[in-house]
Amino acid sequence: MMALPGQLFYGTQIPACLWIMAKDRSNGIARDAKLRDRRGEVLFIDARKMGALVPGSRKQKELSEAEVTKIATAYHAWRGEPVAGSYEDVPGFCKSASLEEIAKHNFVLTPGRYVGTGAAEDDGEPFEEKFDRLMGELRGHFARGRRLEAEIEARLGALG
């Protein structure tokens, strides 16, 4: 299951979700298997944050080569293709979920539900300092808003 960003297709602006299905995810365990046994697992990829607007367009997005490679590599690694390397869940991007985990989510197949959110970037500013700084900025904006309201009322009073 792969969630794609909106504005990716010419016919619609809505985001799309691709379902890639395999008839035999055991990959011939009895035969000479080339891929790993994926029975009881579903790969979820959330690519909704990927893509950039096509230059000169405000309506059309496209995925970069690097983004397509990232998606394809995750998929091929999950399947067990040796050239793709080993698969790892990446918070905010991909997750291999078991059928039991999917059942716990009432069989809702929305990729974002399983991949979660990515790690937040640390800006190096301690939380307490950042909170105090932002609260100071907010108080300043509120004070400015009150001054502007008073000025507007004074000008309206002078007109009437």
Side-chain angles (χ1 to χ4, degrees):
M1 307 281 310
M2 181 173 27
L4 296 171
Q7 300 176 287
L8 198 60
F9 300 105
Y10 289 106
T12 182
Q13 298 296 310
I14 63 171
C17 189
L18 298 178
W19 292 33
I20 301 170
M21 299 186 188
K23 188 174 183 178
D24 179 13
R25 290 191 285 173
S26 70
N27 288 297
I29 296 303
R31 302 185 312 266
D32 182 27
K34 293 183 177 150
L35 304 175
R36 70 180 190 83
D37 184 359
R38 303 177 319 279
R39 290 179 288 187
E41 296 179 26
V42 175
L43 176 64
F44 291 95
I45 295 177
D46 190 349
R48 293 176 298 171
K49 295 176 188 161
M50 292 183 165
L53 289 175
V54 173
S57 173
R58 294 181 302 180
K59 296 182 179 181
Q60 193 65 44
K61 279 187 179 179
E62 66 183 0
L63 297 173
S64 70
E65 286 290 325
E67 291 168 329
V68 171
T69 299
K70 181 179 180 179
I71 293 167
T73 301
Y75 171 71
H76 292 293
W78 177 77
R79 288 184 62 197
E81 297 178 25
V83 295
S86 63
Y87 171 80
E88 289 185 29
D89 290 338
V90 178
F93 174 63
C94 63
K95 165 89 169 129
S96 180
S98 67
L99 292 180
E100 293 80 23
E101 189 175 355
I102 294 169
K104 288 179 187 174
H105 288 281
N106 293 322
F107 299 98
V108 174
L109 299 176
T110 306
R113 182 175 296 244
Y114 299 93
V115 302
T117 59
E121 290 185 32
D122 184 9
D123 59 6
E125 184 176 9
F127 173 79
E128 293 78 15
E129 291 177 19
K130 187 173 193 172
F131 182 80
D132 290 341
R133 178 180 58 79
L134 292 173
M135 283 302 294
E137 288 179 22
L138 182 61
R139 287 185 194 103
H141 291 303
F142 283 150
R144 183 169 187 254
R146 287 190 294 274
R147 286 193 304 272
L148 290 172
E149 285 177 353
E151 184 179 331
I152 290 169
E153 287 180 15
R155 287 184 183 189
L156 288 174
L159 291 176

